[in-house]
Amino acid sequence: MKKLTIIVTLVILTITSFALPTFASDGCDATTDHLTLGRELFDVGNHDDALAIVDCGLNLNPDNYALYMLRAVIYCNTDRIELAIEDMTTAIDLRPGSAYAYNNRGWANFRLGNYEESLANLNYALELDGDLAYAYNNRGLVYQMQGDYQLAHSDFQTAIDLGLNEPWAAINLYNLEFELDRLPIES
């Protein structure tokens, strides 16, 4: 009887194991679309769960460029800028021709006040993709912080002309024009 119970238990475990999702050693579900789920959680403001999902995906696939990009964005939005820069650097190592990764690393450096490093990244992003409106907008912010208002104005306008329809793009241009209007007139 005991032998029959052990055999039946083994058969049940074998059959049910085929119905269960595949798990990696860390407990992450290997059948999950970590990028999509992480992005959805991020979009609704659930940064902690989004980060956990992305981390699971990277544990299963440590060479996934898109997951590093998403995790860097999550880090930027949770003020872990140094970690964001590390992830952008990894993304660049995985895909050296990614204008988006250079743009995002430029933005992260801007957030830290590393304006020269930011400009280097943003300029390279624009070398890779001269139509990347976000890079123009971000570079405009750097120029504005450095007091180069004409270059900032030009970049903000270019970003809008390229179709950057984000409300903050127009606000950046408006704020700069307001700032320019308040400067003393040089004679």
Side-chain angles (χ1 to χ4, degrees), residues 4 8 20 27 38-40 46 57-58 62 74-75 88 95 102 107 132 135 137 139 142 149 157 170 175 179 182 184:
L4 181 60
V8 169
L20 297 174
R39 186 67 200 185
E40 289 171 355
N46 190 343
L58 285 170
I74 295 168
Y75 283 150
M88 286 301 163
R95 216 177 268 179
Y102 280 100
W107 169 247
L132 186 57
N137 182 75
R139 190 172 70 177
V142 176
Y149 301 119
Q157 189 61 58
N175 287 338
E179 197 171 323
R182 297 186 58 172

Side-chain angles (χ1 to χ4, degrees), residues 44-113:
V44 297
N46 190 343
H47 297 144
D48 291 336
D49 287 345
L51 191 56
I53 291 296
V54 171
D55 285 342
C56 277
L58 285 170
N59 285 336
L60 295 168
N61 184 1
D63 293 330
N64 189 311
Y65 159 86
L67 287 173
Y68 280 107
M69 292 286 287
L70 177 56
R71 189 168 72 175
V73 169
I74 295 168
Y75 283 150
C76 267
N77 279 272
T78 56
D79 294 323
R80 293 180 265 184
I81 309 302
E82 292 87 1
L83 293 173
I85 291 172
E86 287 177 25
D87 275 0
M88 286 301 163
T89 301
T90 301
I92 288 168
D93 290 343
L94 292 170
R95 216 177 268 179
S98 172
Y100 288 99
Y102 280 100
N103 172 63
N104 288 359
R105 190 166 72 177
W107 169 247
N109 275 291
F110 171 79
R111 298 260 323 266
L112 286 177

